[in-house]
Amino acid sequence: HPGMAGTTMYADLVKYQKENHGRFPTSHKDDPNMNRWMRQQRSRVRSTYGYVPLSDEQKSLLESIDCPMVHQAVDLRSWYEKYDQLVDFWQKHGHFLVNQREYPSLFNYIKLQRKRRKGTDTHGSLPSKSQIYLLDRIGFPWESDREEVEWQMRFDELVQFGEEHGHLRVSRKENSSLSKWMTFQRVRYRGDGASELSEKQIKQLEKIGFRWSGSF
């Protein structure tokens, strides 16, 4: 069998991957010739439809560029679709705190990627190098940062209140949840809560003039 490294399609595949940030074509629309060629290589891996099996050298070359061959290829298009949804969410909201009720499929996608990275997915599926690269590229947190993001969202809400009212005296009548959050920050600052504020959080609050004691 001719060496795959010298073939035009393999070289085009390497070029395509580099130009598309680690992605591979998943449909006829992406690149008809390359998509057809990749399907042929998958058939050669499985030795189906009468195709001549790939040589060890050819398998090694495909593995060297993290090319999805058998199991990964089945859900690759779906993975890219969910990834694009995640990118859109991140660009719109500036974080990865996806609400389960509002975005159930995207929430499950995030949960699954973290399980796969830890190796705790029940199906034994591990993320490919290109998938890790794509998620790292947008700053995806492999550990859940829900508490930190929720804290920051509340802090931003307090900053906005201060800009609109010229003070940070939030009453329960005006905004019950924000007022309770402020009280809890004071409890945490005194060390009376289940968890203490981080130095970063303390500095953020003090920078906007947050009072550690007060009636509100």
Side-chain angles (χ1 to χ4, degrees):
H1 307 294
M4 187 176 287
T7 66
T8 302
M9 291 308 301
Y10 177 79
D12 287 347
L13 179 61
V14 173
K15 181 181 178 182
Y16 182 97
Q17 185 198 27
K18 288 181 179 179
E19 291 177 348
N20 291 275
H21 308 292
R23 292 185 185 231
F24 292 92
T26 60
S27 69
H28 186 80
K29 188 187 297 183
D30 293 335
D31 188 309
N33 293 329
M34 194 177 300
N35 187 58
R36 187 182 307 111
W37 183 80
M38 285 187 67
R39 288 203 309 269
Q40 292 173 351
Q41 307 318 302
R42 285 196 284 273
S43 294
R44 294 180 68 186
V45 168
R46 300 165 183 168
S47 299
T48 56
Y49 305 112
Y51 282 99
V52 177
L54 289 172
S55 67
D56 290 340
E57 178 193 358
Q58 290 169 334
K59 286 182 182 178
S60 179
L61 284 168
L62 290 170
E63 289 172 356
S64 71
I65 60 170
D66 200 36
C67 183
M69 294 317 318
V70 186
H71 301 296
Q72 291 179 9
V74 176
D75 299 316
L76 191 60
R77 187 184 307 177
S78 174
W79 193 93
Y80 284 153
E81 288 175 354
K82 285 291 183 293
Y83 172 80
D84 288 337
Q85 290 175 24
L86 181 63
V87 172
D88 289 341
F89 182 92
W90 169 67
Q91 290 177 338
K92 182 178 180 180
H93 301 281
H95 60 77
F96 298 93
L97 189 62
V98 175
N99 186 286
Q100 186 175 8
R101 289 185 178 181
E102 194 172 355
Y103 307 95
S105 61
L106 188 57
F107 179 88
N108 290 332
Y109 168 83
I110 289 175
K111 189 176 180 180
L112 179 59
Q113 303 320 303
R114 288 175 174 147
K115 280 187 174 182
R116 293 178 69 204
R117 186 67 188 271
K118 291 179 181 177
T120 57
D121 178 26
T122 54
H123 298 290
S125 171
L126 295 174
S128 66
K129 292 177 183 177
S130 61
Q131 289 172 340
I132 292 173
Y133 167 78
L134 286 169
L135 289 167
D136 282 345
R137 189 167 173 265
I138 60 172
F140 177 75
W142 292 103
E143 296 291 336
S144 176
D145 61 349
R146 181 169 293 271
E147 289 185 8
E148 183 178 342
V149 172
E150 286 181 340
W151 189 94
Q152 188 62 44
M153 289 172 68
R154 280 296 184 192
F155 175 80
D156 292 342
E157 185 180 353
L158 179 60
V159 171
Q160 185 177 351
F161 180 94
E163 291 174 349
E164 293 176 356
H165 296 83
H167 62 78
L168 300 177
R169 298 186 300 277
V170 183
S171 69
R172 294 202 174 188
K173 186 176 180 180
E174 288 177 293
N175 190 325
S176 177
S177 60
L178 183 58
S179 178
K180 289 178 181 178
W181 180 83
M182 292 174 69
T183 299
F184 185 54
Q185 304 317 301
R186 294 183 176 110
V187 172
R188 294 179 68 194
Y189 180 75
R190 294 195 300 268
D192 298 335
S195 61
E196 295 183 2
L197 289 168
S198 67
E199 287 296 323
K200 177 183 175 182
Q201 291 170 335
I202 291 173
K203 288 180 180 178
Q204 280 185 261
L205 288 167
E206 290 181 340
K207 187 176 181 180
I208 63 171
F210 183 83
R211 293 172 56 189
W212 297 112
S213 61
S215 57
F216 294 114

